[in-house]
Amino acid sequence: MTSSAPAPRVITVVGPTAAGKSDLGVYLAQQLGGEVINADSMQLYRGMDIGTAKLTLAERAAVPHRLLDIWDVTETASVAEYQRLARAEIDRLLADGRTPILVGGSGLYVKGAIDALEFPGTDPEVRAALEAELDRHGSGALHARLAAADPEAGRAILPSNGRRIVRALEVIEITGKPFTANLPGDDAVYDAVQIGVDVERPELDERIALRVDRMWEAGLVDEVRALEAQGLREGRTASRALGYQQVLSALAGECTEDQARADTVRATKRFARRQDSWFRRDPRVRWLSGAVEHRGELPGQALALVERAVTA
């Protein structure tokens, strides 16, 4: 904002999966009289609980959580729609004098909520042609084309994420510019205190493997089977979620359950690295250690960082 008055304060808690963002978000909301706004694209879906490590109802009872469980698994995710919903929640909280705390690892969703990000329109004919090509040739071929046209987008978007690849190629065709050229810099709509939870890779990899084991033990396969009956396999976004995609393959007889579990661990580790790279590019993110030996210090350090920023 260009006003001389300080912009309203929003807090974000970001970083890779399994770093400890959810618990920190709850703590900050309790201490600051705020509410948590979900910024994890897959936690928007109803019923996708175990595989997204969604906090249980008991764990989120202490503070209100917004933008959880709002979409059916058949609905295609839209960053533009998320932006509209998240800003409505942020504005409501600010008007009430409360603190909005965005928590999640979906970088484009966080950026869409707090920065001046405008999304190019769509062209139904271009979209339909790309989706037909995706169905015929798979996401790998389209990802190779994207990587050639826009290397930065190719690095940022997973080769398996057909929906996002199609969207990036659609924007390139509509605008005649690289997809990433349509993403602005860090022009803020809200003055945000951004906290990154940092965990060294060896420890993070261990946490991810343990988390996936616990998901299987908690009944992820049964959760996916139930969601399959609700149309999960037809959902363009939800069916590609980590863990869900792999279990769907096992249920279709394309691999064993053990292979699906191992594939989930590998894919989640790769995804965590991409998340970390995305948030590292933003110089506004202040990183705090979420390592196990610093776990007791993290909440106090985060609160002190917020309080310093508010009084600065």
Side-chain angles (χ1 to χ4, degrees):
M1 292 189 170
T2 55
S3 167
S4 58
R9 293 282 185 182
V10 176
I11 298 167
T12 73
V13 179
V14 300
T17 189
K21 301 182 296 295
S22 297
D23 290 341
L24 180 58
V26 169
Y27 172 81
L28 290 173
Q30 287 177 302
Q31 298 302 310
L32 299 168
E35 296 184 8
V36 170
I37 301 172
N38 168 50
D40 179 313
S41 62
M42 295 304 165
Q43 291 193 8
L44 292 158
Y45 288 102
R46 280 186 289 274
M48 292 177 66
D49 302 331
I50 298 171
T52 65
K54 198 179 289 178
L55 292 180
T56 66
L57 290 174
E59 288 170 330
R60 51 182 132 124
V63 298
H65 282 66
R66 308 299 179 183
L67 303 189
L68 286 171
D69 305 322
I70 63 170
W71 290 340
D72 290 329
V73 292
T74 53
E75 188 159 346
T76 300
S78 162
V79 184
E81 175 65 6
Y82 174 81
Q83 180 187 65
R84 183 186 70 78
L85 294 169
R87 289 186 180 176
E89 293 290 353
I90 290 170
D91 291 343
R92 174 185 62 81
L93 288 166
L94 293 174
D96 289 345
R98 309 193 70 202
T99 303
I101 302 169
L102 268 74
V103 181
S106 298
L108 193 57
Y109 281 58
V110 174
K111 189 172 185 62
I114 65 172
D115 287 343
L117 187 62
E118 294 184 9
F119 299 94
T122 63
D123 184 314
E125 289 186 9
V126 172
R127 172 68 65 89
L130 288 167
E131 288 181 345
E133 192 172 344
L134 176 67
D135 291 337
R136 283 197 309 271
H137 303 298
S139 60
L142 285 182
H143 188 268
R145 190 200 306 178
L146 175 63
D150 185 349
E152 187 176 345
R155 287 189 293 271
I157 299 174
L158 287 170
S160 61
N161 194 335
R163 183 190 60 81
R164 283 198 67 199
I165 295 167
V166 163
R167 175 56 177 157
L169 288 171
E170 179 191 24
V171 169
I172 290 170
E173 189 157 340
I174 291 172
T175 64
K177 298 185 293 185
F179 176 68
T180 47
N182 290 281
L183 299 179
D186 301 326
D187 298 326
V189 173
Y190 304 98
D191 182 22
V193 180
Q194 300 204 58
I195 300 169
V197 184
D198 181 33
V199 179
E200 293 294 325
R201 191 155 294 171
E203 182 181 341
L204 189 65
D205 284 350
E206 279 186 30
R207 289 192 196 181
I208 288 170
L210 181 61
R211 173 180 280 192
V212 171
D213 284 344
R214 286 176 174 165
M215 287 175 177
W216 245 261
E217 291 162 9
L220 177 61
V221 174
D222 288 338
E223 178 173 277
V224 175
R225 189 178 284 115
L227 290 171
E228 185 181 21
Q230 298 173 30
L232 174 63
R233 201 173 286 278
E234 288 70 51
R236 284 190 174 274
T237 306
S239 66
R240 311 304 293 179
L242 291 168
Y244 296 86
Q245 177 182 353
Q246 287 77 15
V247 173
L248 284 172
S249 292
L251 293 177
E254 297 165 1
C255 65
T256 67
E257 264 193 46
D258 285 345
Q259 288 171 325
R261 187 192 299 217
D263 287 346
T264 300
V265 172
R266 281 193 294 270
T268 306
K269 288 177 181 178
R270 287 196 300 270
F271 179 61
R273 285 157 175 68
R274 288 174 183 268
Q275 289 176 298
D276 192 67
S277 296
W278 172 282
F279 291 115
R280 296 279 175 190
R281 290 199 296 266
D282 191 337
R284 299 171 299 175
V285 176
R286 301 288 301 278
W287 291 92
L288 298 174
S289 176
V292 65
E293 64 265 27
H294 298 134
R295 189 170 288 165
E297 304 161 20
L298 175 62
Q301 290 177 341
L303 185 61
L305 194 156
V306 170
E307 290 173 342
R308 283 199 304 272
V310 169
T311 57

